[in-house]
Amino acid sequence: ALKRRDGRLLFPTLGGLAEIDPRALHQVSTLTPQVIIEEILLDKSPQRLAGTWAIPPGEHHLEIKYTAPSLRGAERVQFRTRLGGLEADWAIAGTRRTISYAGLPPGSYVFQVSASNSRGVWTEVPASLAITVAPYFWQSLWFGFAVLGLVGGGMFAWYRKHIAKLEGRRQTQA
């Protein structure tokens, strides 16, 4: 590598000579890093990243790995995460690039991760991942209505039988 009198740096590459002006690098620090969700592990097994991501019923361990490439050094990139539907506020993750959730209840969630540059400016649009945790059949709304209907029907049948018994006694006494 060579340094020119005006401060520019020259580097030999296979494609020719590359030139960098270090004075222009201060503009790079104003850019926010682009956050990327790299991998999802469900019970330590890698999963495919696609659209809305579904978790089958049961107790599972979910791990999400993310990153944000930076020309200024990975140690300067800070992260914050939020699982919409479970957490209302952002949780500061620092330089940690993974988060885990265990035993999420059935429902729909949106995982979001945001990164900041060395000046503390956060990405405007966080990387996000829609997650749906499927319920067991007894955790579903229709099952609750079915049980409510059976209990209500049983109570109504008991009430009618009790009224019929009381009317039968009254008729025998009269």
Side-chain angles (χ1 to χ4, degrees), residues 11-12 16 19 21-22 29 49 51 55 60 66 115 125 129-131 133 137-138 140 144 149 151 161 164 173:
F11 296 94
E19 181 179 32
D21 186 357
S29 67
L49 285 167
I55 298 175
H60 296 285
Y66 49 86
V125 180
L129 175 68
I131 300 169
V133 179
F137 75 92
W138 62 83
S140 64
V151 169
K161 186 175 180 183
Q173 289 176 354

Side-chain angles (χ1 to χ4, degrees), residues 20 24 34-35 41 45 67 71 85 103 120 122 128 136 142 148 151 166 173:
I20 296 177
Q34 179 67 38
V35 184
L41 300 172
S45 174
T67 191
L71 297 175
W122 293 97
S128 62
Y136 283 113
W142 67 264
L148 186 63
V151 169
L166 289 175
Q173 289 176 354

